[in-house]
Amino acid sequence: MAEEIRRNPDGAEEVAEAEVTEASVAVHWSEEEYYPPPMQFIAQANFTDPSIYDRFREEHFPECFKEYADLLDWYQYWHTTLDTSNPPFWKWFVGGQINACYNCVDRHLAQHRSKAAFIFVPEPEDEPHVAMTYQELYVRVNEVAAVLQELGLETGDRVTIHMPMVLELPITMLACARLGIIHSVVFAGFSGQACADRIVDSGSRVLVTMDGYYRNGKMLDHKVKADEAVEAAAQAGHPVERVLVWRRYPRQYQSQAPMVEGRDLFMDELLQRHRGARVEPVKMPAEAPLFLMYTSGTTGKPKGHQHSTGGYLAYTAWTSKMIQDIHPEDVYWCMADIGWITGHSYIVYGPLAVAATSVIYEGVPTYPDAGRPWRIAEELGVNIFHTSPTAIRMLRKADPDGPKNHPNVQFKHMTTVGEPIEPEVWRWYYHVVGKGKAVIVDTWWQTETGGFLCTTIPAIHNMKPGSAGPALPGIYAAIFDDEGNEIPAGSGRAGNIVIRNPWPGITQGIWGDPERFIQTYYARYNRDPNSKDWRDWPYFAGDAATLAADGYFRILGRVDDVINVAGHRLGTKELESAVLTVEEVAEAAVVPRVDELKGRVPDVYVSLKPGYTPSPEIQQKIVAAVEEIISKIARPRHVYIVPDLPKTRSGKIMRRVLAAISNGQDPGDVTTLANPEVVDTIRRMVQGEELAGAS
Ligand code: PRX
């Protein structure tokens, strides 16, 4: 297995370095066998009609997407399916009026009032789970919307929400959506500083947070991060006026951080005044922004992706119903965090739009042991399970028997998302977790794309381990080489995966930075900047992939400066800026190291300012800086203090050389570098593991 894991990401690494290789390097692996979907699955599936691919052929684009939008309730039907007048800022369902909260909550009351919308599972196993019906969700969302109104928040305002996996998080999101307030949820594991960057960028005047939450058996103090965030935002010239604090246990404050008079308010107290309040959903234009979701960029500044109301909701609703195969009577559990796009699209908006019961688990999957997910699944009767390759690898390592001894764990459907999954790991997921009876979808997509782009349709296609599958209906995906020539299917060559057309779930752009949006996703393959024809604007996803003769895409990994650590996107520049805050550091480079469990982890290389000597203390300071400024998830595996970083004659740091060294490979010909001698020194240091600290 180790070899399989290495082969895959290393292939991607080759592709990653545009300085030295073409996008279209050859990759060498054998085709995997097909697994047909089980008959029991097909018999009950929401979608079994292969003619959809005809209906969504290019000559029917964009009108074909009406089928998606028709899953929603509109106040006013749209007059233009796709407006391409200002490429690449596409507008879907123009003229339509809709409210996302109404579609996720109110409209289900007639048929599903007393059915659970969410089931919250606290991390402590002796704390009972909480099932929240659609009626209860409706009541609580209305009350929170009343609080937001009382505080003077209005349609179009931005609110930053820095909260863990608790019911109050989707309640707050939906309350914002009810009023047309744009929410910006920041992953709870992010530091106060990272939260501040997102507050400032989005211009939020209100921060919603929580006192504390359980993680790995400990109650974490979360409110302290809010204080850090507000302070850092103030230093950046942006005042936060209000901090709304949910309490994990109402009236029992868990944090050491004092409440700041005049700024901080407890949500449970504010809500007292709004018991039973009802707030009319605001009729929003289809193209009004629903939320912002930040990703790491190739420069230090995170990008706020703006997702639309109508297009995004139509896309996540259709994919939840047809790809996740959610029926109202299913119990669906996605183990992602709502603080990432997967949680927005496939814990909250998509599942609720199709009246699902969606499970929210507070803690880590392996707490208190790797049997926890199976106990939860057994207790709640989960039949659709959705997670990442990193979680699957961790569970497999901790207990290779998986749910074998839990006869009542019986999934009909399982999803993998966020990273390439090695065929060996896929087979374990299929045979051991799914007991050979569940269908698997390997869904490739991104924060920017709103929902799935490539995957098998579960009752229609055979599965193939390690391959996401064909592009979804209406997604015209292709592999391009560096010059923009299409690499034919079955050629065995890798290249850049592109989507040739817009689709309803696509990001509307980067908040406050339209030029960066064009540069990052479209400049690469745009044929004419003045063209109003969508065919001239292929979307560059930033991933390398191959396309097999059967039309299945296999994703290799990022081609830009992004490291995918356990499914979390971290920008190398962002990490390097954090490292450079350490006083002794002169220069820094961060590169991905292949890791058996997490896919990739960051390795840090630094040179020191004159007068400083390498020491374990400096290494520790660097690790602490990364954890504090970004997050513990970004913790470097190694910090190497080297005499100098390898550079080109023009002074560019050669990260490719360092990545090769970190991954036990030969750095290749370095004679053209400005300082080739340093490469050997670094190589001996790293591959001989001298001074390799901070593991
Ligand atoms: O490199 C791809 C990888 O995750 C990136 C997107 O990360 P993010 O925006 O955080 O969204 C995560 C949820 C989709 C992609 O550019 N990726 C995502 N799904 C897959 C994947 N790599 C391989 N296979 C997948 N199924």
Side-chain angles (χ1 to χ4, degrees):
M1 186 192 101
E3 200 190 288
E4 184 67 52
I5 283 177
R6 282 212 180 85
R7 204 165 33 146
N8 219 337
D10 283 356
E13 203 58 61
E14 282 290 294
V15 182
E17 297 296 329
E19 300 141 294
V20 285
T21 46
E22 295 284 295
S24 56
V25 295
V27 284
H28 311 279
W29 50 58
S30 52
E31 278 295 309
E32 301 292 332
E33 70 286 18
Y34 289 119
Y35 288 69
M39 281 314 292
Q40 309 91 293
F41 178 83
I42 298 173
Q44 60 79 63
N46 274 331
F47 202 73
T48 52
D49 172 16
S51 74
I52 183 138
Y53 286 95
D54 286 334
R55 294 203 300 283
F56 278 71
R57 273 211 314 266
E58 219 163 305
E59 64 260 40
H60 303 137
F61 180 85
E63 303 309 325
C64 49
F65 278 110
K66 175 177 182 300
E67 203 166 316
Y68 285 40
D70 280 347
L71 289 178
L72 305 177
D73 285 0
W74 296 81
Y75 297 115
Q76 163 93 46
Y77 222 57
W78 61 93
H79 51 69
T80 306
T81 306
L82 173 64
D83 172 352
T84 63
S85 60
N86 183 25
F89 302 94
W90 320 111
K91 287 187 178 161
W92 282 89
F93 310 126
V94 183
Q97 287 196 341
I98 190 163
N99 184 280
C101 177
Y102 176 86
N103 272 276
C104 290
V105 185
D106 306 37
R107 70 165 175 157
H108 300 317
L109 296 180
Q111 276 185 37
H112 302 294
R113 190 182 295 275
S114 57
K115 172 196 137 75
F118 289 119
I119 305 178
F120 170 62
V121 180
E123 195 192 67
E125 221 163 348
D126 54 5
E127 199 174 305
H129 65 252
V130 180
M132 173 166 283
T133 64
Y134 274 93
Q135 170 69 17
E136 288 172 286
L137 180 63
Y138 170 73
V139 168
R140 298 201 55 195
V141 165
N142 271 279
E143 290 171 351
V144 174
V147 168
L148 299 178
Q149 263 183 340
E150 179 198 333
L151 295 171
L153 285 161
E154 290 174 358
T155 301
D157 287 346
R158 278 81 57 210
V159 166
T160 297
I161 306 175
H162 193 207
M163 286 179 67
M165 287 287 284
V166 291
L167 286 168
E168 290 76 7
L169 171 53
I171 289 171
T172 310
M173 291 161 66
L174 290 162
C176 288
R178 196 168 189 82
L179 298 171
I181 294 167
I182 304 166
H183 59 70
S184 167
V185 178
V186 177
F187 171 57
F190 270 143
S191 64
Q193 177 65 53
C195 181
D197 295 342
R198 288 151 178 81
I199 290 173
V200 174
D201 189 78
S202 63
S204 303
R205 305 258 165 205
V206 173
L207 170 65
V208 187
T209 188
M210 189 159 217
D211 56 348
Y213 63 103
Y214 284 104
R215 194 128 186 109
N216 242 329
K218 281 201 264 331
M219 168 62 78
L220 300 187
D221 188 335
H222 189 62
K223 163 67 164 57
V224 287
K225 288 187 177 178
D227 294 351
E228 288 161 15
V230 173
E231 197 188 316
Q235 274 170 16
H238 180 87
V240 172
E241 287 155 16
R242 288 265 177 248
V243 178
L244 308 183
V245 185
W246 286 99
R247 282 188 273 206
R248 175 68 175 73
Y249 301 99
R251 285 171 291 287
Q252 299 171 44
Y253 189 47
Q254 302 294 324
S255 169
Q256 298 301 315
M259 294 290 279
V260 175
E261 183 75 42
R263 185 197 76 183
D264 300 355
L265 298 165
F266 285 124
M267 277 302 265
D268 49 78
E269 287 174 4
L270 287 171
L271 282 163
Q272 307 261 356
R273 296 206 285 275
H274 297 283
R275 281 270 150 76
R278 294 287 189 271
V279 175
E280 271 301 296
V282 177
K283 294 178 182 157
M284 299 298 295
E287 71 273 21
L290 177 62
F291 65 85
L292 303 179
M293 169 61 60
Y294 282 84
T295 62
S296 296
T298 46
T299 66
K301 195 168 177 277
K303 303 191 281 272
H305 291 291
Q306 177 183 321
H307 279 287
S308 73
T309 306
Y312 170 83
L313 199 63
Y315 202 72
T316 51
W318 192 92
T319 46
S320 294
K321 182 163 180 183
M322 309 308 185
I323 306 300
Q324 290 303 121
D325 198 56
I326 301 174
H327 303 58
E329 54 277 19
D330 291 324
V331 181
Y332 165 81
W333 181 18
C334 172
M335 286 210 313
D337 195 292
I338 295 174
W340 305 111
I341 192 71
T342 306
H344 275 49
S345 300
Y346 297 113
I347 297 178
V348 181
Y349 285 111
L352 289 199
V354 300
T357 295
S358 180
V359 175
I360 296 179
Y361 173 52
E362 178 178 32
V364 294
T366 48
Y367 182 83
D369 57 69
R372 187 72 193 277
W374 321 133
R375 293 196 292 278
I376 293 173
E378 198 159 42
E379 180 168 338
L380 304 183
V382 173
N383 63 346
I384 307 178
F385 186 63
H386 185 154
T387 192
S388 65
T390 290
I392 301 168
R393 289 184 213 111
M394 273 164 47
L395 292 169
R396 175 178 186 243
K397 187 171 181 206
D399 181 5
D401 283 345
K404 192 167 141 201
N405 301 319
H406 295 264
N408 299 322
V409 170
Q410 194 58 79
F411 300 131
K412 69 164 182 175
H413 181 295
M414 305 190 305
T415 306
T416 164
V417 63
E419 317 150 62
I421 184 165
E422 301 74 19
E424 215 26 57
V425 176
W426 190 100
R427 281 188 277 271
W428 183 79
Y429 197 33
Y430 180 80
H431 291 293
V432 179
V433 180
K435 302 178 179 174
K437 293 186 179 147
V439 77
I440 293 182
V441 291
D442 178 347
T443 55
W444 172 74
W445 61 296
Q446 310 176 299
T447 304
E448 296 84 336
T449 75
F452 306 148
L453 292 180
C454 290
T455 170
T456 48
I457 297 187
I460 296 181
H461 297 115
N462 287 327
M463 306 167 250
K464 190 161 77 171
S467 292
L472 278 184
I475 301 293
Y476 313 133
I479 310 270
F480 281 3
D481 68 14
D482 279 339
E483 278 70 51
N485 306 308
E486 195 163 336
I487 299 179
S491 70
R493 283 190 299 143
N496 295 315
I497 185 166
V498 299
I499 311 298
R500 294 193 293 102
N501 62 308
W503 63 96
I506 191 173
T507 175
Q508 296 182 301
I510 298 172
W511 182 257
D513 204 345
E515 194 44 41
R516 189 175 179 201
F517 179 61
I518 299 174
Q519 284 309 319
T520 311
Y521 302 100
Y522 292 96
R524 183 81 178 254
Y525 291 126
N526 172 240
R527 295 185 192 102
D528 170 8
N530 297 315
S531 170
K532 307 271 182 235
D533 183 345
W534 59 262
R535 289 170 194 79
D536 291 325
W537 295 86
Y539 168 83
F540 170 71
D543 277 329
T546 59
L547 175 58
D550 57 11
Y552 283 38
F553 288 90
R554 183 168 185 157
I555 309 298
L556 306 178
R558 304 288 310 179
V559 297
D560 54 14
D561 298 333
V562 171
I563 307 182
N564 189 336
V565 182
H568 305 307
R569 262 164 88 167
L570 301 171
T572 47
K573 292 285 188 302
E574 224 177 334
L575 287 157
E576 287 166 7
S577 333
V579 173
L580 286 166
T581 62
V582 176
E583 191 195 335
E584 295 88 342
V585 174
E587 285 187 308
V590 175
V591 298
R593 171 187 281 259
V594 174
D595 180 81
E596 211 187 323
L597 287 179
K598 296 182 174 176
R600 306 285 181 89
V601 289
D603 264 1
V604 174
Y605 289 82
V606 295
S607 61
L608 300 183
K609 290 177 188 157
Y612 291 108
T613 42
S615 71
E617 288 71 40
I618 297 178
Q619 289 173 319
Q620 286 310 330
K621 270 172 91 169
I622 291 170
V623 172
V626 170
E627 288 189 356
E628 200 171 297
I629 295 170
I630 300 173
S631 166
K632 282 205 164 62
I633 55 175
R635 183 183 170 86
R637 173 60 49 85
H638 298 282
V639 175
Y640 298 110
I641 302 178
V642 300
D644 195 8
L645 296 173
K647 291 190 198 106
T648 60
R649 297 218 168 102
S650 60
K652 194 167 170 221
I653 297 173
M654 289 297 284
R655 291 180 182 77
R656 174 184 63 80
V657 169
L658 296 171
I661 294 175
S662 268
N663 291 290
Q665 297 167 331
D666 181 350
D669 180 12
V670 294
T671 48
T672 57
L673 294 188
N675 52 354
E677 67 296 339
V678 79
V679 174
D680 214 42
T681 314
I682 298 176
R683 191 179 159 159
R684 266 184 283 115
M685 178 187 280
V686 174
Q687 295 180 352
E689 299 297 339
E690 299 163 29
L691 240 184
S695 291

